[in-house]
Amino acid sequence: MTALTLCTNDICNGNRDIWRAHLSGATRLLAAFLDRQAEASSVADPFDLCLVKWFATLDIMANLTGISASPTDRESCWYLDKIPGTQVGYVDDISGYSLELIPMMAQLGRLAGRQELWTAAKYGVQSTLPGQLLEEAQELEYMIRSITDRTVSDFTLKNHNSPLTVDLQHTHRAFVHASLLHLHRRVQLLPRDHSQVKEDITNIVNAVMSIDPFSPANILILWPMFSAGCETSFVSERDLIQNRMANMQSLGLGNYTRARDMLRIFWSSGSSKPWDIYFAEQGIQLVLF
C-alpha cells in the first residue's frame, strides 16, 4: 500500500522517474505477497483485492501510454483472475469499469505500441494495416463493444448510495468508448475528422454528461475525458471537459491539475497527432490515473 500510495502521488505530481521506481517496487512486492498467498491456499481478503485492483488500474494506464515498470512481467502480476472475490462482468467501484476490460486494454496498448504503427502515427502516414493486424484490431473492437452495457454488482449496491451506482455505469461506458477511440486513432490510424472518431468522442462526452458534475465517480474518468478533450475541436465539448476537470481539481486532485495544463498545451500546439505521440516527442510522460 505504501509503494502504491507513493507511486500515485508521484504520478499526480508528474515525477516520472520516481513513480516508475515506485511502480516497479510495488510490482515486486505485490507479486511476492500474492505468490505466498497462493502457496498457502489462503483466501485473499477484501483489502488484498483492493490492492491488486489499485495496482492493475495504475499499470494499465501506464501501459496504454507506452510506459511500464516491467513489460515482461506486467500481466502475470495483475492476478485478477486468481483471487477469489474478483467480480468480473460488473462495473468495479475502484477502477470505474468492468475488470474484463483490462486484458482488452492491455492488448490495445500492445497493438498501439508496435513500431510500424508508432512511426506511421508520428509522421501522419495513412497506411493499410497488414492482414493479421487488421484482423486482430477488428476482433478487439468487437470484444470491446460487446461489454458496452454493464451494471454494478449486488455487493456494490449494498456498499454505495444509489446515485453513485448509476454514475458507475456511465464511467464504464466512458472507458469503453475511450478504448474504441484509442483503437481507432492509434491502431487503425483514422484521422481526427473521421466519422468513427467523432462518434467515439460524442459517446464519451455523453457518458460524462450523464454523471453528476460533482459525483466522486468523476475522479475515475480522467483518461476518457483527456482522450476526448485532445481529439475534439468543438469548443462546447472542450469547455465541458475543462469544467468537469476543474470540479475535480477543486478537490485537490493534482492529476487533474496537470491534465488540464497538458490539454491547454496540446490545444495550443494545433497538432493533428494522437496525444500520446505528441507528448512523447516533447519528452512528457502522462499516466492518466
Side-chain angles (χ1 to χ4, degrees):
M1 184 179 69
T2 301
L4 287 172
T5 301
L6 289 170
C7 182
T8 303
N9 185 64
D10 293 332
I11 287 172
C12 293
N13 292 329
N15 299 327
R16 65 181 183 180
D17 295 329
I18 300 175
W19 81 253
R20 292 181 73 170
H22 285 147
L23 182 60
S24 179
T27 302
R28 293 193 297 271
L29 289 169
L30 191 61
F33 171 71
L34 292 173
D35 282 343
R36 288 196 301 272
Q37 296 285 85
E39 290 173 3
S41 299
S42 54
V43 177
D45 65 25
F47 184 69
D48 296 340
L49 184 57
C50 175
L51 290 179
V52 173
K53 290 192 289 188
W54 184 359
F55 169 81
T57 304
L58 263 176
D59 199 46
I60 196 65
M61 286 297 104
N63 176 36
L64 280 169
T65 50
I67 307 166
S68 176
S70 179
T72 57
D73 298 334
R74 179 172 54 236
E75 288 182 54
S76 63
C77 292
W78 282 334
Y79 289 96
L80 289 168
D81 59 344
K82 300 179 181 179
I83 297 184
T86 303
Q87 303 236 344
V88 176
Y90 296 97
V91 182
D92 182 65
D93 59 348
I94 292 177
S95 66
Y97 48 83
S98 172
L99 297 178
E100 61 197 315
L101 186 59
I102 282 184
M104 300 178 198
M105 290 195 289
Q107 183 182 2
L108 181 57
R110 286 195 300 271
L111 291 178
R114 287 179 59 148
Q115 186 60 47
E116 65 268 35
L117 292 180
W118 182 273
T119 302
K122 179 177 180 179
Y123 293 105
V125 178
Q126 286 300 114
S127 57
T128 302
L129 297 182
Q132 183 177 354
L133 181 56
L134 177 60
E135 183 178 337
E136 191 172 352
Q138 291 174 336
E139 182 179 353
L140 179 57
E141 178 164 358
Y142 173 80
M143 292 169 60
I144 294 171
R145 290 189 184 279
S146 72
I147 63 167
T148 299
D149 296 314
R150 287 293 183 266
T151 59
V152 298
S153 67
D154 290 339
F155 179 82
T156 300
L157 285 170
K158 292 177 182 178
N159 288 275
H160 297 286
N161 61 51
S162 180
L164 179 59
T165 58
V166 173
D167 287 338
L168 285 172
Q169 296 180 50
H170 297 300
T171 63
H172 170 77
R173 294 180 70 90
F175 273 98
V176 165
H177 294 299
S179 298
L180 292 172
L181 176 60
H182 201 79
L183 176 70
H184 294 143
R185 284 286 282 145
R186 284 290 285 108
V187 178
Q188 296 181 347
L189 302 180
L190 300 181
R192 190 169 293 162
D193 60 357
H194 192 280
S195 60
Q196 188 63 74
V197 172
K198 291 181 177 180
E199 180 181 330
D200 296 333
I201 296 169
T202 298
N203 287 333
I204 295 171
V205 170
N206 287 340
V208 173
M209 289 178 65
S210 298
I211 300 170
D212 183 273
F214 290 94
S215 168
N218 289 282
I219 295 172
L220 304 171
I221 56 171
L222 178 55
W223 180 60
M225 281 199 284
F226 188 87
S227 299
C230 284
E231 299 294 356
T232 184
S233 57
F234 291 109
V235 174
S236 60
E237 293 180 339
R238 289 184 174 186
D239 286 345
L240 169 71
I241 291 169
Q242 280 276 293
N243 292 337
R244 191 62 63 96
M245 285 186 169
N247 293 346
M248 298 301 101
Q249 186 178 343
S250 68
L251 299 178
L253 298 176
N255 49 349
Y256 272 88
T257 300
R258 186 162 185 252
R260 289 187 78 207
D261 291 340
M262 292 300 101
L263 263 183
R264 295 188 188 102
I265 291 172
F266 187 74
W267 289 337
S268 297
S269 73
S271 176
S272 61
K273 298 176 182 178
W275 64 266
D276 62 323
I277 299 288
Y278 172 80
F279 285 118
E281 290 180 338
Q282 307 303 310
I284 299 172
Q285 292 183 347
L286 287 175
V287 179
L288 300 167
F289 176 78

